[in-house]
Amino acid sequence: MAQSLERLRESASQTAGPYVHIGLTPNFCGIEGVYAADLGAAMVGEKARGDRIKVKIRVIDGAGVPLKDALVEVWQADAAGIYNSPSDQRGAADPHFFGWGRQATDMTSGECVFETIKPGRVPFFDGRPMAPHITVWIAARGINIGLHTRMYFGDEAQANAQDPVLARIEQPRAASLIAPRDGDTYSFDIHLQGENETVFFDI
Amino acid sequence: MTGKNPPSNLRPETGAFFQRDRAWHPPAFTPGYKSSVLRSPRRPLLSLDNTLSEITGPVFGHDILGELDDDLIYNFAAPGKAAIGPRIIVHGRVLDERGVGVGGALLEVWQANAGGRYRHRRETYLAPLDPNFGGCGRTITAEDGSYCFRTVQPGPYPWPNGPNDWRPAHIHFSVMGHGFAQRLITQMYFEGDPMIWKCPIVRTIGDPKAVEGLTAALDMQATIPMDARAYKFDIVLRGRRSTLFENRREGN
């Protein structure tokens, strides 16, 4: 026998269930007057630096149907590639950009839209620059543990080609993480299962 | 909006998080819980040591909180009214796997009322709504990771999975720690509830010890006599490595 490592075990995950909106987007589901606004509804202050963009996300199940009860969160760096987090010690982030957003997918269309800015590049753990990306996290009924993925930008072909994370994915699956641009809107369809299954990360 | 203000005077940590033990958590595909069948990825997850994108995470200031955000008995009730049901306090600490308290963590909860009915337009259970109960609450942990809520104990309810499946009484918890890799949603169950071990959602978890870790203990020492019983529920988030001897080249 050796000494005990005396570590605790992480609390086990459970599904968010069908009524995740009550807790995380109460105004969205008609519970008004408890919180002034749903947390994460607005990511960008008026004075935020960077290109204003929209990110339209759908989460699609194994039968090809968009989830109408999903909760989607995004986390990203500011226009200069700095995270608005105490754990990013490289410098001050844009004080007018929070970096985190939360939306429920529409109960009819299954879409959600984040109004944000295009993030700058952030270094990989060995210092090489990663291509601009947004971390996406999904919780819903039927999902036992939140799914992490990344959205990369369709108009950043050169940066994407050098990205050390995309380089780890066998082609053609890396394409599942790249959202095409149309005007100021990037459309990111996340396929939970099947032929076009999106790459999910164990991070 | 809040910003880079650390939740405490402690130096922010910048190490990567301990690997998640995915044999301890429920797997994605659990056919006993039918909704998971079409909503589970079938290909392996791509493993990656944390980059800055996962080590960092949003920090919320107390300025987002209203006075009654942590009091579900009163935060939806008309003036002078209260929610109906067994009055309870739920308290505990948010720790990481090293046993360190996680201060400044955002905890959000939601639950059914005492009859097992949720205030949601998709909910069709015939138990009535309580006009003085909304079912949502939130708080931010103190520097030592401690927190508390006041609420009514939720009731069990039936759901369309098997022909006669009922959820045990539970409170949903969402936790935002210091890094986005710690993001966690789970459910709290109540000590002694015979429904726990019958539930297909609970049974997505393989190890009974992991289920015990989600079961709050009746805590008579925190109970307020003639007012509210108390349950203690600690939540454990992923620990993180120290940054000693990290071999980083530049810019990070």
Side-chain angles (χ1 to χ4, degrees):
Chain A
M1 291 291 283
Q3 291 187 1
S4 164
L5 293 172
E6 288 182 350
R7 294 214 174 99
L8 303 174
R9 305 290 297 265
E10 186 185 11
S11 297
S13 175
Q14 292 272 261
T15 179
Y19 307 127
V20 59
H21 312 108
I22 294 172
L24 303 189
T25 54
N27 291 288
F28 169 84
C29 77
I31 300 177
E32 285 157 9
V34 181
Y35 308 151
D38 288 339
L39 208 55
M43 298 175 68
V44 184
E46 255 174 50
K47 295 182 195 156
R49 293 189 294 269
D51 294 335
R52 300 289 202 274
I53 58 167
K54 292 191 178 81
V55 173
K56 193 167 77 182
I57 295 180
R58 295 194 302 166
V59 183
I60 298 164
D61 74 10
V65 179
L67 272 56
K68 299 175 179 81
D69 54 9
L71 181 92
V72 181
E73 290 183 358
V74 298
W75 172 240
Q76 63 165 97
D78 69 10
I82 306 283
Y83 281 102
N84 198 340
S85 160
S87 293
D88 189 341
Q89 299 271 289
R90 295 170 303 148
D94 183 345
H96 305 290
F97 182 65
F98 191 48
W100 176 80
R102 172 190 281 166
Q103 299 282 342
T105 56
D106 184 84
M107 290 193 201
T108 308
S109 69
E111 261 180 28
C112 61
V113 179
F114 292 88
E115 295 191 13
T116 184
I117 54 122
K118 197 167 179 187
R121 296 178 80 167
V122 174
F124 193 52
F125 51 73
D126 62 8
R128 284 180 289 164
M130 294 190 279
H133 65 275
I134 295 177
T135 297
V136 180
W137 189 78
I138 302 155
R141 171 175 68 91
I143 295 177
N144 290 324
I145 181 163
L147 293 166
H148 278 270
T149 187
R150 282 185 177 193
M151 189 201 93
Y152 287 84
F153 295 83
D155 55 348
E156 292 283 347
Q158 198 183 342
N160 291 342
Q162 300 165 349
D163 183 81
V165 175
L166 290 175
R168 294 271 298 272
I169 304 167
E170 71 276 29
Q171 298 293 340
R173 292 200 71 212
S176 72
L177 303 184
I178 298 171
R181 177 174 193 156
D182 180 12
D184 63 353
T185 302
Y186 295 85
S187 296
F188 188 38
D189 277 354
I190 298 168
H191 293 268
L192 296 178
Q193 194 186 94
E195 214 174 313
N196 302 315
E197 189 174 304
T198 299
V199 174
F200 297 100
F201 295 91
D202 182 10
I203 50 160
Chain B
M1 288 199 225
T2 52
K4 266 199 171 181
N5 308 317
S8 74
N9 295 322
L10 299 173
R11 198 169 58 85
E13 292 188 285
T14 57
F17 290 95
F18 296 165
Q19 293 87 1
R20 205 161 231 168
D21 182 354
R22 292 199 177 252
W24 174 258
H25 287 284
F29 177 68
T30 49
Y33 172 30
K34 294 180 182 178
S35 306
S36 75
V37 173
L38 285 174
R39 295 182 168 200
S40 46
R42 296 302 160 83
R43 307 205 193 195
L45 303 177
L46 181 74
S47 302
L48 199 64
D49 196 15
N50 293 168
T51 71
L52 271 167
S53 304
E54 291 81 36
I55 287 165
T56 56
V59 168
F60 299 88
H62 288 262
D63 56 335
I64 67 165
L65 299 178
E67 204 180 327
L68 291 177
D69 281 8
D70 59 359
D71 193 339
L72 285 71
I73 294 181
Y74 295 105
N75 70 12
F76 192 78
K81 306 278 187 174
I84 292 172
R87 293 164 63 91
I88 59 168
I89 289 163
V90 178
H91 77 106
R93 289 178 74 199
V94 178
L95 305 159
D96 76 13
E97 290 169 297
R98 301 168 300 180
V100 177
V102 181
L106 174 70
L107 286 186
E108 296 163 284
V109 296
W110 67 101
Q111 62 167 91
N113 69 22
R117 173 71 187 264
Y118 282 99
R119 185 172 288 279
H120 193 283
R121 73 181 206 220
R122 287 234 181 85
E123 160 78 283
T124 55
Y125 185 31
L126 46 75
L129 285 170
D130 176 346
N132 293 303
F133 186 73
C136 61
R138 63 186 179 187
T139 190
I140 292 175
T141 57
E143 279 206 21
D144 64 351
S146 61
Y147 76 90
C148 73
F149 290 101
R150 179 160 64 173
T151 187
V152 295
Q153 189 166 17
Y157 59 86
W159 59 299
N161 186 63
N164 190 22
D165 279 333
W166 291 69
R167 295 302 325 280
H170 63 275
I171 299 176
H172 296 266
F173 272 74
S174 164
V175 194
M176 188 86 70
H178 294 169
F180 208 57
Q182 286 179 314
R183 190 78 184 84
L184 182 72
I185 283 181
T186 189
Q187 302 182 27
M188 182 200 106
Y189 304 104
F190 291 86
E191 179 179 9
D193 185 342
M195 307 295 294
I196 294 173
W197 303 100
K198 299 182 192 300
C199 174
I201 288 178
V202 174
R203 289 161 72 124
T204 61
I205 298 172
D207 190 330
K209 284 201 175 64
V211 174
E212 286 166 13
L214 298 183
T215 306
L218 177 65
D219 184 357
M220 292 306 289
Q221 295 298 4
T223 287
I224 304 173
M226 307 303 287
D227 181 343
R229 286 177 307 144
Y231 281 87
K232 179 165 186 289
F233 184 57
D234 286 347
I235 298 164
V236 181
L237 301 181
R238 295 167 71 176
R240 81 200 297 174
R241 302 199 300 260
S242 69
T243 44
L244 300 172
F245 306 108
E246 294 272 318
N247 183 18
R248 288 173 196 251
R249 265 194 262 156
E250 57 182 322
N252 188 359

